[in-house]
Amino acid sequence: MTTTKSPDARVAAILDQLAARGMRRTSARQAILEALFAAESHVTAEDIAVEVHRRFPSVDVSTVYRTLDTLEQLGIIDHTHLAHGPAIFHLADDDHQHLVCERCGRVEEVAPEKLEPFLEALRAEFDFDVDRRHFALVGICAACRDR
Amino acid sequence: MTTTKSPDARVAAILDQLAARGMRRTSARQAILEALFAAESHVTAEDIAVEVHRRFPSVDVSTVYRTLDTLEQLGIIDHTHLAHGPAIFHLADDDHQHLVCERCGRVEEVAPEKLEPFLEALRAEFDFDVDRRHFALVGICAACRDR
DNA sequence: CTGCTTGCAAATAGTTTGCACGTTC
DNA sequence: GAACGTGCAAACTATTTGCAAGCAG
């Protein structure tokens, strides 16, 4: 399955996917994808731009944004808004809810299954589907509360 | 109690409160407060600026932001971030959670008591206190889901 | 007359866009 | 050589800030 392939193989596969849609294989796109696969988690567009710059100094942030946008349209990545500040990006198959502490900025990633009961209850009570992929839950973490 | 006083009386009381702290009573501050009390709910700084401009065309948005900031420091108002776009402001005693539909933009206000069970459960499970005043819950409303 | 306030302009952060040139197929 | 992609500069949205002039107490 897809998730067991090596990062390089996955990058190549995505580039193939773009080509199949009449899009081009470019070094910028390849470098951006590689940066995405190399990243731990919650990277900003700026982070990716910096990383890509190390190999291709001419690549502009606007290209990074445009590429991230393209990848998101294809369902390959997602972006999430934490509290304030820039959006973060990650591979779409790495699905989770973000709990952000507005005091210390720490971001905790929670598995979908662990959160589902709450979202389900909200759905039942308010007929409202929380979009856990696109927005974080913001609050105070235990460490900051007790300090 | 405070909430049963007329808007004008409450504006006067807040101006007194400022004066008691060595701050000045200015027409800009009065007009901004009046706009806040006149507003239905979820008004942006821009909304307030427009309203204030009708009577005092010279008042700058920066003054609106500075005044809102002052009022927030005094605990008189709060601001909340909906999905994208500008923050919204309202009187601090009008406490509620916002459910924002990211598709149609509709904002539903939910009484704290109705949401508390969920926040309580999240607290128990993740040791995390969601800040319901400062950030909305973003998702899809029933009408948009079924469309 | 002291110093809090304000208007104005400019800076900021994050992201988007117009356009002419470059590159890929 | 079309069509797609990119760099660059500029625009944009929401908000903040520096500074000198303006008022309130």
Side-chain angles (χ1 to χ4, degrees):
Chain A
M1 60 203 66
T2 315
T3 42
T4 60
K5 286 199 273 186
S6 78
D8 278 3
R10 295 190 67 192
V11 168
I14 292 166
L15 257 13
D16 286 347
Q17 198 179 330
L18 295 189
R21 302 200 174 214
M23 295 169 170
R24 270 100 221 234
R25 291 164 190 283
T26 66
S27 44
R29 284 179 175 165
Q30 186 182 326
I32 291 165
L33 279 165
E34 288 173 4
L36 273 167
F37 278 96
E40 308 296 286
S41 55
H42 47 78
V43 274
T44 66
E46 196 51 41
D47 292 336
I48 293 171
V50 166
E51 184 59 26
V52 169
H53 272 187
R54 294 196 0 220
R55 286 197 295 152
F56 302 94
S58 73
V59 175
D60 195 74
V61 235
S62 63
T63 297
V64 173
Y65 276 107
R66 282 190 272 232
T67 299
L68 292 173
D69 208 58
T70 302
L71 295 174
E72 188 151 21
Q73 309 239 75
L74 294 178
I76 293 161
I77 62 171
D78 275 324
H79 79 271
T80 304
H81 300 278
L82 304 183
H84 298 101
I88 57 162
F89 295 82
H90 43 66
L91 298 168
D93 55 19
D94 179 16
D95 181 24
H96 52 265
Q97 172 74 49
H98 297 92
L99 302 184
V100 184
C101 176
E102 59 190 335
R103 209 161 289 170
C104 67
R106 209 169 66 81
V107 179
E108 188 182 350
E109 301 184 356
V110 170
E113 321 81 76
K114 291 201 72 178
L115 203 89
E116 205 42 60
F118 306 101
L119 304 190
E120 180 56 46
L122 278 167
R123 198 174 295 133
E125 177 78 29
F126 304 108
D127 216 355
F128 183 84
D129 279 280
V130 171
D131 183 354
R132 75 153 178 277
R133 308 185 81 108
H134 200 191
F135 287 92
L137 284 177
V138 188
I140 309 288
C141 72
C144 286
R145 189 221 309 119
D146 301 335
R147 196 183 306 136
Chain B
M1 58 205 65
T2 315
T3 41
T4 60
K5 286 200 273 184
S6 77
D8 278 4
R10 294 189 67 192
V11 168
I14 293 167
L15 256 14
D16 286 348
Q17 198 179 331
L18 295 190
R21 302 199 173 214
M23 295 169 169
R24 270 92 219 245
R25 292 165 189 282
T26 67
S27 44
R29 284 179 175 165
Q30 186 181 326
I32 290 165
L33 279 165
E34 288 173 4
L36 273 167
F37 278 96
E40 309 295 286
S41 55
H42 47 77
V43 273
T44 66
E46 196 52 40
D47 292 337
I48 293 172
V50 167
E51 184 59 26
V52 169
H53 272 187
R54 296 201 354 226
R55 286 196 295 152
F56 302 94
S58 72
V59 175
D60 195 75
V61 237
S62 64
T63 297
V64 173
Y65 277 106
R66 282 191 272 234
T67 300
L68 292 173
D69 208 58
T70 302
L71 295 174
E72 188 152 22
Q73 309 239 75
L74 294 178
I76 293 161
I77 62 171
D78 275 324
H79 79 270
T80 303
H81 300 279
L82 304 184
H84 299 101
I88 57 163
F89 294 83
H90 44 65
L91 299 167
D93 56 19
D94 179 15
D95 181 24
H96 53 264
Q97 170 75 50
H98 297 92
L99 301 185
V100 184
C101 177
E102 60 189 334
R103 209 161 288 169
C104 67
R106 210 168 67 80
V107 179
E108 187 180 351
E109 301 184 356
V110 170
E113 321 83 74
K114 290 202 74 179
L115 202 89
E116 205 42 58
F118 305 101
L119 304 191
E120 180 57 45
L122 278 168
R123 197 174 294 133
E125 177 78 30
F126 304 108
D127 216 355
F128 183 85
D129 278 281
V130 171
D131 183 353
R132 74 151 178 280
R133 307 186 81 109
H134 200 192
F135 287 93
L137 286 177
V138 188
I140 309 287
C141 71
C144 286
R145 189 221 310 121
D146 301 336
R147 196 184 307 137

